[in-house]
Amino acid sequence: MNQTTTQAIPVPSIFTKALRTLSLRHRIALYYTITTALLIAIVFTILFFMVESTVYKQFDEEINKEVSEILSDAHATTHDFTSFARFKNFIDDKEVNYGNKDHDDKETAKVDTEFIQLMNNSGQVMNKSVNLSRNVLMFYPGLTTPAYFSSSVLGSTVRQIQLPLLNNQGIIKGYLLVAVPLKNAIIVLHDLQNVFLFSFPGIILILFVLTRLIAGRSIRPIEMVIATAEKMTQENLHQRIGLPRHHDELYRLSATINALLDRMHEAFQREKQFTADASHELKTPLAVIKGTLEVLVRKPREQEHYETRIQFCLKELNRMAQLIDQLLMLARYESNRMDPRIEQVKLSLALERVKGRLQPVALEKEILFKVFGTENAFVAADPSMLEIILENILSNAIKYSPPRSMITITMERKSSSLACSITDQGIGIPEEKLNAIFERFYRVDESRNSGTGGFGLGLSIVKKLADLQQIKVSVTSREKIGTTFTLTFPSA
């Protein structure tokens, strides 16, 4: 026999799932309303019990006055009780007292005045007020101290006291019970309870609606963020979120997201420019090589012509390889995969090695190098990275210097650093373009067919490698006079 079992879904999981589907506005309103509802319920409960306690306290005081009057009229106290006969003339029930049967047993109790009842220590009624009729007040045997409590007479609530009566030896001989009706007080307390019970749901409902409206206005900037993000594409990265009037957390959130969008837009523009420039720089030599080879295969030529064109193609391929190497270097830097190996490097030796590699290019233009400064200057740097920095700066100086000019290299020690300046006598850089020369593929001569043969990556590599080694790079320039690059090394 197959039995099908069904597993009940826990109520908390259903409630949690429902909460997850609520919007932020409704969750804020719900949490705030639940919290406030608990606080209001606690306040209402405390108020009700405070009022009830105050009412009972007033009735207890009234009962004490009644007890004092009874004891005063009977010329008795609670500590020298001798006989119940003392209270005979002061309790309104002479017909009932001491077995008088003339009292109408059918008379009902009157609950709008106070009630008095005397009992012996065994719980037998010795005397009582006529308005009690056949009813008796609540009695708790064995009490040794005055006690206040609520009871009922003929279905109506009364407040009463049970007062022990002691003889002069301190032995309990009887009890005096006095009660006053609570009808009006019960009505007031009941009305107050109804006001609290019926007003509570209304207050909570109004509170939820108001909280939802306030929460909606408060999170409007978040909705604007969502709307802006949903509309964001490559074509409209320039759009920004409107800032709220109040400088609060939502203002900071909107400002932070706007700053993030600024960085994204800037990065996207850089990548877009990088892609365009890189594709152009690679496309140009490929087109040149393709065109040269196509011309060579059209008809037989002399060996010397073949050698010349093949050398030209090899030169273009070397330029492409150099471009790819530089792009890979920048990619490694931006992916944080380059860790410099800092050690003590003799700056003059690094300069000599770089000058030796660039000397043939400089001789072609009859450019001279002059070095001034400390011969034994040591700096803290990565040797290979330092030579790349020096080679890029010196190669730029050679490219943009006129023939038969001079490049000056000056090393100067300062208080806590060493400065190495490289000055050429070239065409110079316009002042408004100085801040852009360290960007990738940026060249002062915007023509892509510039005769310098550079890619616009050298100074970008210089800046990034210098930053890795905490080397400060600065530049000053005057058009048609020359440019000076200064490397400031930290104290070795």
Side-chain angles (χ1 to χ4, degrees):
M1 181 177 179
N2 295 328
Q3 293 183 350
T4 303
T5 59
T6 58
Q7 184 176 3
I9 300 176
V11 175
S13 64
I14 298 176
F15 181 72
T16 304
K17 186 176 181 180
L19 281 180
R20 290 175 181 172
T21 59
L22 288 178
S23 64
L24 177 61
R25 176 192 307 175
H26 288 91
R27 284 206 305 273
I28 292 175
L30 180 62
Y31 294 153
Y32 184 82
T33 302
I34 291 175
T35 304
T36 308
L38 292 175
L39 293 176
I40 293 176
I42 293 172
V43 171
F44 279 5
T45 303
I46 292 174
L47 286 175
F48 180 80
F49 283 112
M50 287 178 63
V51 172
E52 184 181 47
S53 176
T54 302
V55 169
Y56 285 157
K57 184 177 180 181
Q58 290 178 351
F59 276 94
D60 291 345
E61 292 176 355
E62 183 178 343
I63 292 174
N64 286 333
K65 290 180 182 179
E66 184 68 23
V67 169
S68 298
E69 290 179 3
I70 293 173
L71 293 175
S72 177
D73 293 341
H75 302 289
T77 65
T78 58
H79 298 286
D80 62 351
F81 177 77
T82 56
S83 172
F84 290 105
R86 284 192 175 189
F87 298 90
K88 179 179 179 181
N89 298 325
F90 307 105
I91 297 180
D92 188 19
D93 195 11
K94 293 182 180 179
E95 293 83 0
V96 177
N97 291 343
Y98 306 109
N100 193 332
K101 302 299 182 181
D102 294 336
H103 180 71
D104 186 2
D105 290 339
K106 296 181 179 180
E107 184 178 348
T108 58
K110 300 177 181 180
V111 294
D112 55 351
T113 58
E114 65 274 4
F115 305 101
I116 305 172
Q117 181 174 302
L118 285 172
M119 306 189 73
N120 59 17
N121 54 2
S122 61
Q124 180 182 0
V125 177
M126 304 302 298
N127 199 351
K128 63 179 178 179
S129 58
V130 68
N131 56 358
L132 279 173
S133 184
R134 289 176 296 174
N135 299 278
V136 293
L137 296 177
M138 180 70 69
F139 173 70
Y140 292 99
L143 288 179
T144 59
T145 57
Y148 299 89
F149 51 89
S150 298
S151 62
S152 62
V153 174
L154 204 62
S156 297
T157 304
V158 295
R159 185 71 173 173
Q160 75 176 67
I161 184 175
Q162 180 173 323
L163 185 68
L165 299 174
L166 289 74
N167 59 14
N168 51 13
Q169 282 83 29
I171 300 173
I172 297 176
K173 292 296 184 178
Y175 294 91
L176 173 63
L177 281 68
V178 179
V180 293
L182 292 177
K183 181 178 180 181
N184 293 333
I186 293 299
I187 293 174
V188 172
L189 291 175
H190 183 70
D191 291 342
L192 179 63
Q193 186 179 19
N194 288 337
V195 168
F196 285 165
L197 290 177
F198 288 107
S199 64
F200 182 75
I203 293 174
I204 298 306
L205 180 61
I206 294 173
L207 181 65
F208 178 79
V209 174
L210 292 177
T211 306
R212 185 179 177 277
L213 293 175
I214 295 172
R217 291 180 60 88
S218 299
I219 67 173
R220 188 172 299 168
I222 299 178
E223 294 178 348
M224 294 173 62
V225 171
I226 296 173
T228 303
E230 289 175 345
K231 297 178 182 177
M232 195 67 64
T233 61
Q234 294 181 1
E235 287 74 23
N236 60 355
L237 277 175
H238 61 278
Q239 290 188 359
R240 296 296 178 266
I241 301 167
L243 297 177
R245 291 180 300 173
H246 304 291
H247 289 250
D248 51 11
E249 289 80 0
L250 292 177
Y251 181 95
R252 289 174 54 198
L253 173 63
S254 302
T256 302
I257 294 178
N258 282 341
L260 174 62
L261 292 175
D262 288 338
R263 294 192 295 271
M264 289 176 59
H265 184 248
E266 183 180 350
F268 179 75
Q269 292 299 322
R270 284 199 306 267
E271 292 301 321
K272 186 177 180 181
Q273 185 66 36
F274 173 82
T275 304
D277 291 339
S279 61
H280 182 278
E281 295 293 345
L282 290 172
K283 183 179 180 180
T284 301
L286 285 174
V288 171
I289 294 172
K290 180 182 178 183
T292 301
L293 295 176
E294 286 176 347
V295 171
L296 287 177
V297 298
R298 284 178 184 175
K299 60 180 180 179
R301 301 177 186 276
E302 296 179 0
Q303 182 177 353
E304 183 180 352
H305 183 79
Y306 281 115
E307 291 177 354
T308 302
R309 304 316 296 172
I310 291 174
Q311 289 294 335
F312 174 78
C313 290
L314 289 174
K315 181 179 179 182
E316 291 299 315
L317 289 173
N318 288 332
R319 290 184 70 247
M320 290 177 59
Q322 183 183 1
L323 171 61
I324 293 171
D325 288 340
Q326 291 178 342
L327 289 174
L328 289 175
M329 182 177 294
L330 287 174
R332 286 197 300 270
Y333 171 82
E334 292 181 349
S335 61
N336 297 321
R337 288 185 294 179
M338 292 184 69
D339 296 320
R341 293 177 296 177
I342 304 298
E343 58 185 69
Q344 297 298 313
V345 180
K346 192 173 183 179
L347 185 56
S348 59
L349 289 180
L351 282 168
E352 286 298 325
R353 285 194 293 268
V354 173
K355 281 168 50 183
R357 291 195 294 268
L358 297 177
Q359 193 69 42
V361 183
L363 289 176
E364 289 180 4
K365 299 177 69 174
E366 299 181 13
I367 294 176
L368 298 178
F369 292 103
K370 278 199 172 182
V371 181
F372 300 95
T374 308
E375 288 290 332
N376 297 320
F378 283 85
V379 295
D382 182 298
S384 59
M385 290 185 182
L386 177 59
E387 291 191 12
I388 293 173
I389 292 172
L390 295 173
E391 185 169 344
N392 276 299
I393 295 176
L394 286 172
S395 63
N396 272 356
I398 294 172
K399 288 175 186 177
Y400 295 102
S401 294
R404 293 181 296 277
S405 60
M406 182 182 298
I407 296 176
T408 305
I409 303 172
T410 305
M411 291 176 285
E412 181 183 1
R413 183 171 295 281
K414 297 182 179 180
S415 58
S416 59
S417 61
L418 178 71
C420 177
S421 301
I422 300 174
T423 304
D424 61 47
Q425 297 174 341
I427 59 177
I429 304 172
E431 184 177 356
E432 65 273 11
K433 296 184 178 182
L434 285 176
N435 293 329
I437 62 174
F438 294 108
E439 296 179 5
R440 289 181 295 186
F441 292 111
Y442 182 83
R443 286 178 291 192
V444 177
D445 182 1
E446 296 180 358
S447 171
R448 294 191 184 273
N449 296 318
S450 174
T452 60
F455 303 109
L457 292 173
L459 291 180
S460 178
I461 293 174
V462 166
K463 184 68 169 64
K464 296 183 185 304
L465 294 183
D467 290 342
L468 277 176
Q469 303 171 84
Q470 297 181 351
I471 300 172
K472 181 181 177 182
V473 183
S474 58
V475 58
T476 57
S477 183
R478 295 178 64 184
E479 290 188 75
K480 298 181 181 179
I481 294 179
T483 302
T484 299
F485 282 87
T486 302
L487 301 173
T488 303
F489 298 88
S491 179

